[in-house]
Amino acid sequence: MTSFDRVNHDRLMSALAKEIEDKRVLKVMRAFLNAGVMENGVVSISEEGVPQGGPLSPLLSNIVLDELDKELEARGHKFVRYADDCNIYVRSERAGQRVMRSVSDFITRRLKLKVNGTKSAVAQPHDRKFLGFSFTAGKLPQRRKIALQSLERFKNRVRQLTNRNHSKSFEKRVAELSTYLRGWRGYFGYCETPNVLRDLDSWIRRRLRSVLWKQWKVYNRRRAELIKRGVRPDLAHTTAWSSKGPWNVCHTPGVRIALPNSFFDSIGLPRLERGYNI
């Protein structure tokens, strides 16, 4: 919503001085702000703005925007903010346009910040995302869902970890994937659309079945693996002899019987749906 490359250093230091008495801390903070950035081996001194990606940047952004929080509270607005990302909720588009103008004016004139016009908009909640989440459309109450951009990033990462062309053992692949899934589930598992998590679980298991199917390579190995895992010999023969590619054959009964959901549970692959907890 706001751009922190235009933060006035003197104004920020004045706000810090109201809360921090230790002059040594203030001196360190000033040095942090003036440290500058290095581009192509050349250091450019910063006279305004907060260093993006720095460990103190989120804290400093909260200090800068604390005045905005108090202003929105005084106006009686319902809002949510994390660092420089803020959503304000109103009853109509007309009210949204009015609030957008007045709040933008407050940010520009009072806080001396620049509003990011490309990221700011008046829209329905389901058309916007916040911290990786969005809302379902339709009748109230709307439910919290995972934003499409977050789902696409997740799928791209899983595709990398389950790439059938990588020469990596199945065990190591599952271990790396499981680590990523647990972390992702710990955050996005709090969505209110568990069917999405269920579909992702199914998709991930199908990708892993495809990995094993390719590793088994030839007819004799595939038939033997299927029979060893409880598939009838005739079905094992038909499945192993199939001309379908790994993705399609791994959705057939033979492979699903040999590699059921319980198999992936037994090797420690976490289910995303189990992270659903409201």
Side-chain angles (χ1 to χ4, degrees), residues 18-223:
K18 293 178 181 178
E19 304 295 333
I20 302 173
E21 296 182 359
D22 193 325
K23 302 299 182 182
R24 295 170 299 177
V25 175
L26 294 174
K27 185 176 181 179
V28 170
M29 300 295 278
R30 173 67 81 170
F32 173 77
L33 293 173
N34 294 337
V37 295
M38 178 178 288
E39 294 180 340
N40 300 321
V42 179
V43 177
S44 300
I45 301 301
S46 301
E47 296 182 355
E48 62 179 5
V50 174
Q52 297 301 298
L56 287 177
S57 295
L59 171 63
L60 296 178
S61 66
N62 279 331
I63 292 173
V64 171
L65 291 177
D66 181 62
E67 194 172 347
L68 173 63
D69 294 344
K70 293 177 179 177
E71 177 68 16
L72 294 177
E73 290 173 353
R75 296 185 186 186
H77 289 313
K78 296 184 182 298
F79 69 97
V80 57
R81 182 180 66 79
Y82 182 85
D84 61 341
D85 197 356
C86 180
N87 284 358
I88 304 172
Y89 301 99
V90 295
R91 292 184 177 275
S92 67
E93 181 178 357
R94 183 178 179 181
Q97 296 291 353
R98 184 181 67 253
V99 171
M100 170 75 83
R101 289 192 298 270
S102 63
V103 171
S104 296
D105 183 71
F106 177 84
I107 291 172
T108 303
R109 294 177 179 274
R110 183 71 172 271
L111 302 184
K112 309 299 182 184
L113 294 172
K114 180 181 177 182
V115 175
N116 190 329
T118 61
K119 294 184 178 180
S120 301
V122 177
Q124 294 286 341
H126 61 263
D127 291 328
R128 306 292 291 173
K129 68 180 182 68
F130 183 72
L131 302 181
F133 287 94
S134 184
F135 292 95
T136 57
K139 296 180 179 179
L140 296 176
Q142 294 176 322
R143 293 175 295 160
R144 185 173 58 253
K145 71 174 186 177
I146 304 170
L148 293 178
Q149 298 92 325
S150 301
L151 287 174
E152 192 55 38
R153 283 195 295 271
F154 170 79
K155 286 190 170 184
N156 286 337
R157 181 57 178 154
V158 171
R159 289 187 184 103
Q160 293 175 359
L161 294 171
T162 58
N163 190 322
R164 295 193 298 269
N165 296 321
H166 288 175
S167 56
K168 185 184 301 182
S169 71
F170 185 74
E171 292 74 17
K172 184 176 181 180
R173 192 187 303 265
V174 169
E176 292 178 354
L177 177 61
S178 296
T179 298
Y180 175 67
L181 294 181
R182 289 189 188 96
W184 191 89
R185 183 183 67 181
Y187 184 79
F188 288 103
Y190 288 91
C191 72
E192 296 174 313
T193 52
N195 57 304
V196 173
L197 301 178
R198 192 177 306 120
D199 291 343
L200 289 175
D201 277 332
S202 178
W203 176 73
I204 292 167
R205 289 191 294 264
R206 189 173 176 181
R207 289 192 64 85
L208 288 175
R209 291 185 183 106
S210 299
V211 169
L212 278 177
W213 189 254
K214 186 172 183 180
Q215 289 182 355
W216 292 345
K217 293 185 178 180
V218 297
Y219 166 80
N220 288 337
R221 171 77 185 280
R222 288 172 174 172
R223 181 177 181 274

